[in-house]
Amino acid sequence: MTNTALIKARDLSKHYTVSTGRFGAKGVLKAVDAVDIDVHEGETLGLVGESGCGKTTLGRLILRLIEASGGSIEFAGVDLTALPQRLVKPYRKDIQFIFQDPYASLNPRMTVGTAIRRNLDIHGIGQRRERPDRVASVLRQVGLMPEHAGRYPHEFSGGQRQRIAIARALATEPRLIIADEPTSALDVSIQAQILELLQGLKEKLGLTLMFISHDMGVVRQIADRVAVMYLGKIVEIGSKEAFFAKPLHPYSVALRGSVPVPDPRNRETVPPLEGEVPSPLSPPSGCRFHPRCTHRMPRCRDKTPHLRPSGERDVACFLY
Ligand code: SF4
């Protein structure tokens, strides 16, 4: 792992104009709002937060599956947001996405081998006649057999289907894989196998991983650094060790408190988060977390805290 940024996003935003009711009223939904984030070469960055906080949108923006409303995304020093789509294509093979639900992301009428080979065809990787060998090789890498190439997705278990999705992503020899809740639909024992597989592949192939999850236990297992997202903004980012030893942002403290501790004597009493994540359509003023924060001060309602260094990490909170 290095401190060289493979991805450098600056002031990155995704805003949607949406209808807010009858009479044609419109509002702006700020799914991702002025985010600065680096993903270092060779690391696993865990991106955490409750559902609806913008994690998936941020991952899709980085891949340019959706277009940003503003800001920039550099990949290995190249500003992808400044390029037209046709010039982004060569970089797409370098950044691959693994979806939460492998069954939905695999075409049920397409054999596994065809689905993987299609990714090679799209990116023009290797000679045509070599592609079946490449398919067999990636299937082996994820613990499946070359014979599985002729079968259809419904013939596999959930864990095997996620292995197929990983094989399809690996086929293009990417430098970065963005995995969006890749284990949340799986049983705990299968989850552990998929995490182990991703960890092993990352080390063996020198991959960089961005791992999106709401499950702090999973992130603790796999991440090198942790970024916490709340209502479209990053509120804390730093090393996993520092984060799990002592999270700083009050939202991070509450998320950290949700991780089960095996020994009850070491269990901390962290009050659970109150209420739901407010709508990104009308986010609270000032610090977006203030309606749920037990430490809020008068200025938290009016002023927006920005990420600032605090020890080994950056945190967006007036307490630091
Ligand atoms: Fe709480 Fe204020 Fe910090 Fe926001 S800025 S997390 S409201 S203390």
Side-chain angles (χ1 to χ4, degrees), residues 60-78:
R60 287 171 186 235
L61 280 173
I62 290 174
L63 192 59
R64 280 196 71 183
L65 280 178
I66 50 176
E67 288 299 322
S69 312
S72 63
I73 305 157
E74 278 184 21
F75 173 74
V78 176

Side-chain angles (χ1 to χ4, degrees), residues 249-250 287 289-290 293 295-297 300 305 316-319:
H249 194 282
C287 171
F289 188 59
H290 86 253
C293 181
H295 300 277
R296 64 179 168 262
M297 303 168 267
C300 301
C317 172
F318 293 128
L319 292 172

